[in-house]
Amino acid sequence: MSLFRAAFRMIGFMKKENSSERFPRILAKNQTVKSRIFTVETLALQFANGVEVEYERLISSKNGAVLLVPVLDDKIVLIREYAAGVERYELGFPKGKIDEGEGWYEAAARESQEEIGYLPAKLELLDSLSLAAGYMTHHTHIVLAEELTPQTAEGDEPEPLEVVHWPLADWHSLLSHPEFSEGRAYAALMLLLKNKGLI
């Protein structure tokens, strides 16, 4: 069994496992810092063994975000954009927050037009992932986008995004590319390969 198959089997087991353990009791929730993007909340918990602990967490929009995996003519459509968190350009998949009044489907169609200039006729939700679940409430919907036709929409990027068409068959090289490092991008690629029966 390949390493990737084993990992997917373990992920599937963990998602299906139904724990009967008692959740910690929430004693208090207090907002400590709020910026334009982030809200920091202190969460006071009491565990089943009586231990009381305070955690800090980032509260995200309840709508979450989408990350698209666009496929066109046996190629993956990627973007290369500046990532302020790591202070360099990052190669990855188009993505963005889900706006008020949108679901994952509408947000995925919009982001596809804004970031790569294609309108997908077929969108499929592959999975929904948490991001740093220990201290963030954020979740991202991973969406397969296919049957793409050229169509653009104005986005909010500070500079034009570089669109890169990467051969799907060469996914091994993408994994080792120094600019392809985000965990969500890795997960999305693995979900695509599983969907296509390549792993």
Side-chain angles (χ1 to χ4, degrees):
M1 179 185 299
S2 74
L3 177 61
F4 290 133
R5 285 188 187 277
F8 269 109
R9 185 167 289 183
M10 179 58 71
I11 289 169
F13 171 76
M14 287 164 45
K15 285 193 172 189
K16 290 175 186 172
E17 187 178 2
N18 185 13
S19 174
S20 60
E21 291 181 302
R22 207 177 91 210
F23 289 108
R25 187 161 69 97
I26 297 173
L27 303 175
K29 293 181 185 179
N30 295 300
Q31 181 178 303
T32 54
V33 178
K34 184 170 178 62
S35 73
R36 183 177 58 86
I37 300 174
F38 299 110
T39 298
V40 180
E41 181 181 80
T42 301
L43 187 66
L45 300 175
Q46 182 182 59
F47 287 84
N49 61 2
V51 174
E52 294 184 9
V53 180
E54 275 196 355
Y55 289 98
E56 287 185 345
R57 63 180 184 174
L58 290 173
I59 304 297
S60 303
S61 161
K62 66 181 186 304
N63 300 320
V66 290
L67 184 147
L68 286 88
V69 187
V71 178
L72 178 67
D73 299 330
D74 297 321
K75 290 184 172 65
I76 308 166
V77 184
L78 304 167
I79 57 170
R80 186 173 181 268
E81 66 178 330
Y82 187 73
V86 291
E87 299 183 6
R88 64 174 173 81
Y89 281 88
E90 180 79 4
L91 189 62
F93 293 104
K95 57 194 170 296
K97 67 183 181 67
I98 300 174
D99 291 338
E100 284 298 328
E102 288 184 324
W104 66 263
Y105 190 98
E106 294 81 10
R110 175 180 52 75
E111 289 290 345
S112 182
Q113 294 170 81
E114 290 177 359
E115 297 205 349
I116 60 171
Y118 288 101
L119 175 65
K122 183 180 176 185
L123 292 168
E124 179 184 351
L125 182 64
L126 298 180
D127 206 345
S128 297
L129 310 175
S130 61
L131 178 65
Y135 64 92
M136 291 183 71
T137 63
H138 185 78
H139 59 278
T140 299
H141 305 289
I142 310 297
V143 180
L144 175 60
E146 296 179 295
E147 299 178 18
L148 308 178
T149 55
Q151 184 167 313
T152 61
E154 187 176 346
D156 58 0
E157 302 300 328
E159 65 178 356
L161 298 176
E162 180 183 345
V163 178
V164 177
H165 294 248
W166 193 285
L168 179 56
D170 194 26
W171 62 268
H172 293 89
S173 297
L174 181 58
L175 279 177
S176 62
H177 194 287
E179 291 183 345
F180 188 80
S181 70
E182 188 188 2
R184 289 182 300 175
Y186 263 69
L189 181 58
M190 293 302 103
L191 287 167
L192 171 65
L193 296 174
K194 183 182 180 216
N195 179 272
K196 300 298 182 186
L198 298 175
I199 58 171

